[in-house]
Amino acid sequence: MEKSKPYVILSAAISIDGKIATRTGFSHLSSKQDSIRLHKLRSKVDAILVGKNTVLRDNPMLTVRHIKGKNPVRIILDSEGSLSKNSKILQTSNKIPTIIAVSKTIPKSNLKKLQQFPVEVIITGKKLVDIKSLLRKLSDKKIETILVEGGGIINWEFIKNNLFDELIITISPFLIGGTNAISLVQGKGFEEISKSPKLQLKSIKRLKNHLVLNYEKV
């Protein structure tokens, strides 16, 4: 682990064919048991990070609910600051620490909108959020562990830039198919297998009909 960045865990529930959501955005793949496992993990990390598309699609709270435990800081990557005022993230930002990471090209009207809420806005990157720079800033804020819960484009950015340390995947007993469904990793992708990060399997856990695979980057 680099000192200049927190320890980053990528986490997702996927179908057997590697999708995290259908083409219409339906993404409820976890079982109750797996949700409890995930919320235990959330309670142990300092922060949870998602992209704006996940917020737009699911309108999540990103809190700890199925067990007793602390809520992590919520970090949303939203280059243009286009989150809706009515999103649960902004509506609950007075109760749960929330960081919105935006780029330098954020429209002034969107920045003004975000500043109406008790969120911390971090500006980094020209057109898109600079994740490397953001991680350094988060490390300076004593955020030592981050759980990244997607989506596919955000996962690709962390993988492409070699900015993650661990990968936890729940394989759910569903087949989704479709070229427009959302995959675990979107983006351009690697041209050669050799470019893929090297992963070592740490553990396999069965939760009834689901399998939880835990890999660490070598």
Side-chain angles (χ1 to χ4, degrees):
M1 181 180 70
E2 300 173 28
K3 288 184 180 178
S4 59
K5 80 166 190 64
Y7 187 89
V8 174
I9 304 167
L10 300 185
S11 173
I14 65 171
S15 61
I16 292 172
D17 55 335
K19 311 297 185 184
I20 58 173
T22 67
R23 59 185 169 83
T24 58
F26 187 87
S27 60
H28 299 293
L29 297 172
S30 292
S31 64
K32 181 68 183 293
Q33 276 185 309
D34 190 52
S35 293
I36 291 169
R37 177 200 61 79
L38 175 62
H39 283 238
K40 281 181 182 175
L41 181 57
R42 283 183 179 181
S43 73
K44 292 175 183 175
V45 298
D46 295 325
I48 181 170
L49 182 150
V50 301
K52 70 164 185 181
N53 288 339
T54 297
V55 178
L56 291 173
R57 186 181 70 226
D58 300 336
N59 195 19
M61 290 278 286
L62 302 179
T63 53
V64 173
R65 297 186 302 282
H66 297 300
I67 64 156
K68 287 185 178 180
K70 68 173 179 65
N71 287 316
V73 174
R74 302 178 302 188
I75 304 166
I76 313 300
L77 304 192
D78 184 9
S79 294
E80 296 184 348
S82 58
L83 283 186
S84 166
K85 280 185 175 183
N86 298 320
S87 68
K88 290 178 182 175
I89 293 292
L90 291 181
Q91 289 295 322
T92 59
S93 58
N94 61 325
K95 299 174 183 174
I96 304 158
T98 304
I99 295 171
I100 312 294
V102 302
S103 73
K104 293 175 182 176
T105 55
I106 180 175
K108 287 183 180 178
S109 58
N110 285 353
L111 183 58
K112 195 172 180 181
K113 172 191 66 181
L114 293 177
Q115 289 172 339
Q116 293 172 4
F117 294 90
V119 300
E120 180 176 357
V121 178
I122 294 179
I123 302 174
T124 177
K126 291 182 180 179
K127 292 184 178 179
L128 298 173
V129 171
D130 183 330
I131 294 178
K132 285 184 183 178
S133 170
L134 174 64
L135 290 178
R136 285 195 295 271
K137 291 175 186 290
L138 295 174
S139 184
D140 290 341
K141 293 179 180 296
K142 309 302 180 191
I143 291 177
E144 296 180 356
T145 50
I146 299 177
L147 183 64
V148 177
E149 290 193 31
I153 294 171
I154 299 299
N155 288 340
W156 167 244
E157 289 300 316
F158 275 88
I159 291 167
K160 175 183 71 174
N161 292 298
N162 200 30
L163 293 172
F164 75 103
D165 303 278
E166 194 174 339
L167 175 67
I168 302 175
I169 298 296
T170 296
I171 300 178
S172 307
F174 305 108
L175 292 164
I176 292 174
T179 54
N180 293 324
I182 302 170
S183 298
L184 171 65
V185 185
Q186 301 276 103
K188 187 178 179 181
F190 296 117
E191 294 176 0
E192 300 171 14
I193 297 292
S194 60
K195 301 276 179 67
S196 167
K198 303 297 184 289
L199 301 172
Q200 183 171 325
L201 185 62
K202 283 176 62 180
S203 66
I204 302 174
K205 186 175 184 178
R206 181 174 178 175
L207 297 175
K208 289 188 178 178
N209 229 0
H210 292 65
L211 273 182
V212 182
L213 307 181
N214 191 335
Y215 292 89
E216 65 181 7
K217 197 175 67 180
V218 179

